[in-house]
Amino acid sequence: MKLDEIDIHELLPQQEPFVMVDQLTAFDEKITATSLTVRADNIFVEDGWLNECALAENIAQTCAARLGYINKYILKRAIQIGFIGAIRDMTVVARPHVGDRLETVIEVMEQVMELTLVKATITCNGRQIASAQMKIALGDEVIA
């Protein structure tokens, strides 16, 4: 299946209006990428600008999309729920505006049992606007 044919809602435990990724754009063992077009009705938009909390959530949901893809298309099982275990070195140099398209890339740095550490970058209009390291812990709960 082509990545652009996947409904992102099938991969995420989050539901509208809390979905912060539009499409899975790349996936392999180490790298996963998503895109998001900032819409005016996004719950994290303030005065036409997406706030910093949304950028952290966008990274977390890129991790969730990775896990959802692994569960659904590789392991053929229900979607597991993950939790943010830690965020380190989060840097935001710019906030995107309504209509901007974000490209988020996570790189798996380490995976031990139920914990995954990723390095993440968010770009907008070819410029890096945010970066962080995020640790995701898997829960026992699944979404059928």
Side-chain angles (χ1 to χ4, degrees):
M1 172 172 268
K2 294 180 182 177
L3 295 180
D4 63 352
E5 295 175 355
I6 296 173
D7 179 356
I8 198 69
H9 298 89
E10 295 177 11
L11 304 180
L12 301 174
Q14 294 86 357
Q15 298 299 312
E16 298 296 348
F18 203 67
V19 174
M20 296 295 134
V21 294
D22 292 334
Q23 184 178 8
L24 181 65
T25 58
F27 173 86
D28 69 27
E29 192 174 304
K30 284 285 200 192
I31 304 289
T32 300
T34 61
S35 64
L36 171 70
T37 300
V38 180
R39 293 181 298 275
D41 64 350
N42 186 299
I43 62 172
F44 289 107
V45 167
E46 301 168 348
D47 298 321
W49 299 91
L50 195 64
N51 72 25
E52 293 86 351
C53 294
L55 298 177
E57 185 60 28
N58 172 261
I59 292 168
Q61 289 190 26
T62 299
C63 295
R66 174 186 178 271
L67 181 61
Y69 184 86
I70 290 168
N71 281 314
K72 183 171 178 115
Y73 293 102
I74 297 172
L75 300 176
K76 310 287 188 202
R77 64 183 187 193
I79 304 300
Q80 284 180 279
I81 295 180
F83 302 93
I84 299 172
I87 300 173
R88 289 188 49 190
D89 303 324
M90 179 120 188
T91 303
V92 177
V93 296
R95 293 171 49 196
H97 191 266
V98 169
D100 285 343
R101 180 183 161 112
L102 307 181
E103 302 290 335
T104 304
V105 176
I106 61 166
E107 178 182 354
V108 175
M109 297 172 63
E110 226 177 316
Q111 190 161 349
V112 179
M113 298 172 59
E114 301 298 315
L115 292 174
T116 303
L117 176 64
V118 301
K119 177 174 62 173
T121 58
I122 301 174
T123 59
C124 180
N125 300 321
R127 177 178 171 224
Q128 182 174 312
I129 62 165
S131 63
Q133 288 185 13
M134 188 173 286
K135 190 179 294 182
I136 302 293
L138 294 181
D140 293 331
E141 194 173 342
V142 297
I143 306 284

